[in-house]
Amino acid sequence: MDSPDTLAVDASILKFSRDGSRAFVYGRQYFADIYVPPDIVSGSVEVMNAFDLAMSPSGSTAYLPTKYETADIAVVDTVRHTVTARIPLAEEAQKVAISANGAVLYALSGRPYESPLKNGSVNVIDLAAKAVKAVVPVGAGANDVLVAPSGDKIYVSNYADNTITVISAVTNKVVKTLPIEGGLGQGSISADGTKIFYPKPSGGIAVVAISTDTVLTSVPTISPVTAPVFTRDGSRAYVVDQYPGRVVNGENVAGDYFVAEIDVAKNTVRPIATADSGSSTPGRPVIQTSPDGKRLYVLGSKAVVLALPSLQVLASTPMPRVVSSFTMSPDGSKGYGLTNDGGHIVVVNAPRLDNVRKDYNSDYATDILARDSGGALWLYPGNTNKGWLTRTRAGSGWDAMNLVVTPGDFNGDKKPDVLARDSAGDLWLYPGDGQSYWWSPTKVGVGWNAMTAVVAPGDFDYDGHSDILARDSAGDLWLYPGNGMGGWLPRTKVGAGWNDMTAIMGPGRNAIPGTDVLARDSAGTLWLYERDLSSQWVPRRQVGTGWNAMTSIVTPGDFDGDDIPDILARDVSGDFWLYPGTEHGGYQPRVKVGAGWNVMTAIA
């Protein structure tokens, strides 16, 4: 992952447009927007004393609750950067939420931090008429307003009297008041839209069913936690929790922060990672899931990105500044963090997913290349759901090559490439263009006919570049480290006695991306070779038998979209099988994903 960028933009609030092309910010009495990319402020307008920000579905209009001389909602034209109207309120509002169709704005008044015992109210604003059409009373210390995904109900959390006010969006009347034992903070709606999770000030999370407006359960936590963020399928949620404090050398020391995973179906919690622990902790880390549900960001003194659901560390890089919030762009390509000290935005770019490194058409799905008996090269685009999109012809004349290897991005342009060996033993690099085709090849090696197996394990030596493993006729296994620019660093010997293996593949299970190797011996047994963090092989593990029935075995990375490496294999009848990988090693029951593949003379 590239080092985060820093924009000199003051912002206390940030929202993206739905298409992700613009980011809207408010800070230091100004509303502004940023074009994404190239992350340049396109214009701004003065708006005094705004507390929150809501965007219309089209992104053409912003609504900001303000209090300067009077309380109102400032209506901002984001194209012309002008305040086009002000909708007066009887009392200043601190929070706003907009209906899904953009027709109604809900503005929450009540001064929860200045006057926590004062009852609040929700101003229901008709945006077409630019007028308040109802004022609905709510509880004391009202501090958050959420619109149900169905749009028919509004939820207000009242932390001073420990209740949730439920409002009908049809009648604009209170339909229920829910007591929450132990109080509540600002909540978040589950990914499937059926529940609201409200963290409690004393610890634990109250789970409210939207359909029945009842409290289902309380999820236990050690300390007060952040509002949960969810995986795309809603099966998991993540919060930042904190271990109890301790006494060190007679002094009280705060407990370490850690990220906890919630099983939403079982309402159970388990710690998964400690973030910025110990004396270097800059404060409670910020977490967020990417829109595609494939990444979890943990932002403290470092930006740590975990793959979901496997929780493998994809990237870790120092943060230039500590952030108090983090918002992902709708396409998941980057996120903007608002800094604690103000005056800056930290831009974190998404890391390349190593398990989807064979994505030749840039649709974030793993693909397969196959050469037929006529020398035509075909691209079979994966659909991330155990199947294929329509194949396309990606080249001809490939029967001149006796080896085709897919190393991922070998030349450093973030697009997957192909390595191929011709009959003379020369090794050629075909740079991918990211659109299903390749640029003109360049020679990157000679004498490769001496190698009886060539394997693409990914980043085998942890330096951030794709590498190659090769077995010579003596059975020695050599690492050819890629230099990230289409060339090589000096090779090193990493194994001996590999002549018994009839097939060598990488990656395997990928406990650490790029470090595992799968190999089939002459008896048809499939072995997993893993290495520890000191790059030493640990005792191999048997993960399958009877693999002599397979005439081709391919390790594409993650083929079925669960972020766990899989195996694709062709049997003697030409049927193509998917062996889905499991989170803890091994494989699930196989699934047939193709027939008639005997016509292919190479599959990679």
Side-chain angles (χ1 to χ4, degrees), residues 496-513:
W498 284 72
N499 267 346
D500 186 50
M501 298 301 168
T502 59
I504 306 173
M505 296 79 64
R509 175 182 166 270
N510 266 16
I512 300 173

Side-chain angles (χ1 to χ4, degrees), residues 168-403:
S168 167
V170 178
T171 64
N172 295 320
K173 302 288 186 183
V174 175
V175 295
K176 199 166 188 177
T177 300
L178 294 176
I180 302 295
E181 182 180 355
L184 75 166
Q186 297 182 2
S188 54
I189 299 174
S190 63
D192 61 5
T194 63
K195 304 179 185 74
I196 306 179
F197 286 65
Y198 285 105
K200 300 180 181 182
S202 57
I205 305 172
V207 183
V208 175
I210 291 177
S211 61
T212 60
D213 295 328
T214 57
V215 179
L216 296 175
T217 189
S218 180
V219 179
T221 63
I222 295 175
S223 301
V225 298
T226 55
V229 296
F230 298 90
T231 57
R232 190 172 186 178
D233 65 2
S235 64
R236 296 288 188 273
Y238 300 92
V239 297
V240 177
D241 205 344
Q242 187 176 18
Y243 290 114
R246 59 195 185 279
V247 178
V248 178
N249 297 326
E251 296 185 4
N252 292 323
V253 177
D256 295 340
Y257 292 112
F258 66 95
V259 179
E261 181 184 70
I262 301 172
D263 184 320
V264 173
K266 299 177 181 178
N267 292 315
T268 56
V269 183
R270 68 180 181 107
I272 61 168
T274 299
D276 296 331
S277 61
S279 59
S280 64
T281 302
R284 182 182 292 271
V286 175
I287 61 173
Q288 188 56 265
T289 49
S290 61
D292 62 7
K294 292 183 179 294
R295 297 180 290 278
L296 173 67
Y297 288 75
V298 183
L299 306 174
S301 63
K302 295 181 179 179
V304 180
V305 186
L306 306 175
L308 295 176
S310 66
L311 298 173
Q312 297 171 15
V313 176
L314 292 174
S316 178
T317 188
M319 286 283 285
R321 295 174 182 269
V322 177
V323 298
S324 57
S325 65
F326 186 68
T327 306
M328 294 292 299
S329 62
D331 66 358
S333 64
K334 61 175 60 182
Y336 285 177
L338 305 185
T339 59
N340 287 339
D341 55 2
H344 295 84
I345 296 175
V346 177
V347 183
V348 179
N349 293 304
R352 178 176 58 88
L353 293 181
D354 193 78
N355 280 338
V356 192
R357 60 193 175 91
K358 299 182 182 182
D359 172 23
Y360 299 102
N361 58 359
S362 302
D363 66 351
Y364 301 99
T366 295
D367 308 321
I368 293 295
L369 291 174
R371 180 188 63 195
D372 65 22
S373 56
L377 190 67
W378 296 91
L379 172 66
Y380 287 79
N383 65 3
T384 72
N385 191 30
K386 303 182 176 68
W388 314 94
L389 304 177
T390 304
R391 74 173 188 173
T392 58
R393 184 165 176 159
S396 59
W398 282 74
D399 47 351
M401 300 297 174
N402 57 34
L403 175 74

Side-chain angles (χ1 to χ4, degrees), residues 91-96 107-123 136-146 155-165 167 184-186:
E91 184 180 15
E92 68 191 65
Q94 290 81 35
K95 292 284 184 179
V96 287
L108 178 61
S109 300
R111 296 185 180 180
Y113 304 110
E114 296 178 13
S115 306
L117 299 181
K118 178 181 177 181
N119 284 352
S121 60
V122 173
N123 302 273
V136 185
V138 296
N143 70 338
D144 194 27
V145 56
L146 296 172
Y155 292 82
V156 177
S157 57
N158 311 298
Y159 82 87
D161 61 9
N162 301 340
T163 62
I164 298 170
T165 302
I167 302 170
L184 75 166
Q186 297 182 2

Side-chain angles (χ1 to χ4, degrees), residues 31 39 105 112 185 190 200 218 229 259 313 321 384 417 450 467 469 482 485 505 533 543 545 557-558 584-585 588:
F31 170 87
D39 295 335
L105 185 74
S190 63
K200 300 180 181 182
S218 180
V229 296
V259 179
V313 176
R321 295 174 182 269
T384 72
D417 308 316
D467 307 315
L469 292 172
M485 297 178 290
M505 296 79 64
L533 293 179
V543 294
T545 58
D558 172 30
H584 303 290
Q588 302 175 47

